[in-house]
Amino acid sequence: MDTPALPLAAPLPLAHRHKREADKLAKRLRHQVGQAIADYGMIEDGDRVMVCLSGGKDSYTLLDILLHLQKKAPVRFELVAVNLDQKQPGFPAHVLPDYLRAIGVPFHILEQDTYSVVKRVVPEGKTLCSLCSRLRRGALYSFAAREGFTKIALGHHRDDLVATFFLNLFFHAKLSGMPPKLLSDDGKHVVIRPLAYVREADIAAYARMRGFPIIPCNLCGSQENLQRKQVQRMLMEWEKEHPGRIDTIARALTDIRPSQLGDPKLFDFLSLGRRSNAPLPDAHAWLAGNPPAPTASAPTPDAEAGLDRLDGLDILSR
C-alpha cells in the first residue's frame, strides 16, 4: 500500500521571512562584536567608553550593538556617544541629538571648525582625508582626556582593516594595518574597534533594517581618486571573482609569521644558524669587498711540512 504524500508546508509570509533574516543578522553581528571584545580584551569592568558617532552606518551600528551587549555583558561599563560637528556646510546638526535623546543615550556634541581649516590648507584637487582625520582625532583625544574616558570606540569594520593593510603596502611600503585595539602614540588613550570581525555588507544591511538616520559626509565623499577608494574597488573586484577572499585576507592578518617575512627587528635573523660568537662584519665591509685580514690561526698542512724540514736542518747543523 502506497504511503500518502505529506502535504507541503505552506511558505512563510514575506514579513515573517524578513523578520527571521533580520534576527539572524542581528545575532551574527552581536556574536562577532562580542567575540572581538573578548579576543582583544577591549572592554573591562568599570570602563567609560566614548563611542565616536559620525552619523554614518558604521558608527550607528557600533553604538546599537554595544548598547545591546551592555545589557547582558559579564562586566559593567558606561557608554557615551560623542559627535564632532566639523561645521561642514549643510550638516544637519539636529539629527544626532534627536536620535540619541530618543533612544536615551548620554551624548556630547563637540564643535570645531575643522572644515574651514582643511579647505584652506589643502590645495584644490588634493585629498582631504589625512588632515581631516588628524584634526578630528586631536579633538576627540583631547575631549576623552578631559572627561576621563578609559576607551575610545571607533566604527572601523573588517573591510576597513583589510583596505588599510593594502594602502600601507602599496603606497607606504610597509606591512601594517589598523589593529582591533591600539594604544595612541602618546600612550594616553586605548582605541578599540569592536566591529573588526564584521563585514561592511552586513553593516549596510543592518543599518537599513534598523532605519538609522544616516548623515552623508560630503567633505571628501566626492573625491573618486582617493587611494582608499582605489583599494576598495580592487577588493570588490577580487570578492566578485573569488567570493570569500577578503575574509581570507582578514584572517591572515591575525596569523603573522615573522620568521617567514624579512624584518630583522621582529625576528633575530642574525643569530639564525650562527656557528660562532665572533662579531659579524657590517654592511660597509660587505659592500667594500675587502678580504679578511690574516689571523694567527692553526698552520696549514703545507706550512706544517715546511716547519718539519726546518727543524731537520737545524738538527743537522748542530
Side-chain angles (χ1 to χ4, degrees), residues 42 44 46-50 78 144 147-152 188-191:
M42 293 184 183
E44 58 189 306
D47 267 337
R48 296 191 71 230
V49 182
M50 184 176 94
E78 180 184 354
E147 296 297 318
F149 288 104
T150 56
K151 302 287 170 56
I152 300 174
K188 296 179 180 178
H189 306 283
V190 176
V191 176

Side-chain angles (χ1 to χ4, degrees), residues 86-141:
Q86 299 176 268
K87 298 305 175 184
Q88 183 177 335
F91 181 80
H94 67 283
V95 171
L96 285 173
D98 289 351
Y99 172 77
L100 294 168
R101 289 191 193 99
I103 64 174
V105 173
F107 67 92
H108 294 274
I109 304 295
L110 311 181
E111 297 186 4
Q112 184 170 320
D113 189 2
T114 61
Y115 176 84
S116 297
V117 175
V118 171
K119 297 296 286 185
R120 184 177 69 250
V121 173
V122 179
E124 191 67 31
K126 298 294 183 180
T127 57
L128 311 175
C129 286
S130 177
L131 177 59
C132 180
S133 62
R134 286 202 304 273
L135 294 173
R136 188 169 63 246
R137 184 167 57 245
L140 292 171
Y141 280 7

Side-chain angles (χ1 to χ4, degrees), residues 46-294:
D47 267 337
R48 296 191 71 230
V49 182
M50 184 176 94
V51 183
C52 298
L53 197 65
S54 66
K57 68 183 189 312
D58 304 333
S59 59
Y60 273 124
T61 298
L62 171 65
L63 177 62
D64 194 75
I65 298 294
L66 287 179
L67 286 170
H68 179 86
L69 294 178
Q70 185 185 39
K71 300 172 185 175
K72 301 180 179 180
V75 296
R76 297 176 63 84
F77 60 95
E78 180 184 354
L79 294 173
V80 178
V82 175
N83 169 256
L84 176 63
D85 181 353
Q86 299 176 268
K87 298 305 175 184
Q88 183 177 335
F91 181 80
H94 67 283
V95 171
L96 285 173
D98 289 351
Y99 172 77
L100 294 168
R101 289 191 193 99
I103 64 174
V105 173
F107 67 92
H108 294 274
I109 304 295
L110 311 181
E111 297 186 4
Q112 184 170 320
D113 189 2
T114 61
Y115 176 84
S116 297
V117 175
V118 171
K119 297 296 286 185
R120 184 177 69 250
V121 173
V122 179
E124 191 67 31
K126 298 294 183 180
T127 57
L128 311 175
C129 286
S130 177
L131 177 59
C132 180
S133 62
R134 286 202 304 273
L135 294 173
R136 188 169 63 246
R137 184 167 57 245
L140 292 171
Y141 280 7
S142 297
F143 182 75
R146 289 198 306 270
E147 296 297 318
F149 288 104
T150 56
K151 302 287 170 56
I152 300 174
L154 303 179
H156 299 117
H157 46 70
R158 183 206 65 174
D159 300 54
D160 287 327
L161 272 59
V162 172
T164 301
F165 169 78
F166 283 106
L167 276 170
N168 287 328
L169 177 66
F170 293 155
F171 300 105
H172 302 289
K174 59 183 180 181
L175 287 179
S176 68
M178 186 182 282
K181 186 178 182 182
L182 171 74
L183 183 65
S184 63
D185 291 341
D186 60 10
K188 296 179 180 178
H189 306 283
V190 176
V191 176
I192 59 175
R193 297 182 170 99
L195 300 179
Y197 293 164
V198 181
R199 297 167 60 242
E200 182 176 17
D202 283 346
I203 291 174
Y206 187 79
R208 288 193 299 269
M209 179 189 81
R210 299 286 289 152
F212 297 137
I214 304 297
I215 302 173
C217 175
N218 298 319
L219 178 60
C220 57
S222 61
Q223 296 181 281
E224 291 300 325
N225 293 323
L226 289 177
Q227 293 172 347
R228 181 171 290 275
K229 288 196 173 185
Q230 296 176 39
V231 169
Q232 287 170 339
R233 285 194 290 268
M234 177 195 74
L235 293 175
M236 284 190 293
E237 287 298 318
W238 282 359
E239 190 68 18
K240 188 185 303 181
E241 295 176 10
H242 305 280
R245 175 169 287 186
I246 294 179
D247 188 58
T248 299
I249 297 169
R251 285 188 285 112
L253 295 178
T254 67
D255 188 12
I256 310 300
R257 315 292 176 90
S259 66
Q260 306 302 305
L261 297 173
D263 190 342
K265 298 185 295 297
L266 294 181
F267 185 79
D268 189 5
F269 290 100
L270 291 176
S271 297
L272 190 66
R274 287 285 300 276
R275 293 181 293 104
S276 74
N277 293 324
L280 290 170
D282 61 16
H284 297 292
W286 282 103
L287 293 173
N290 296 326

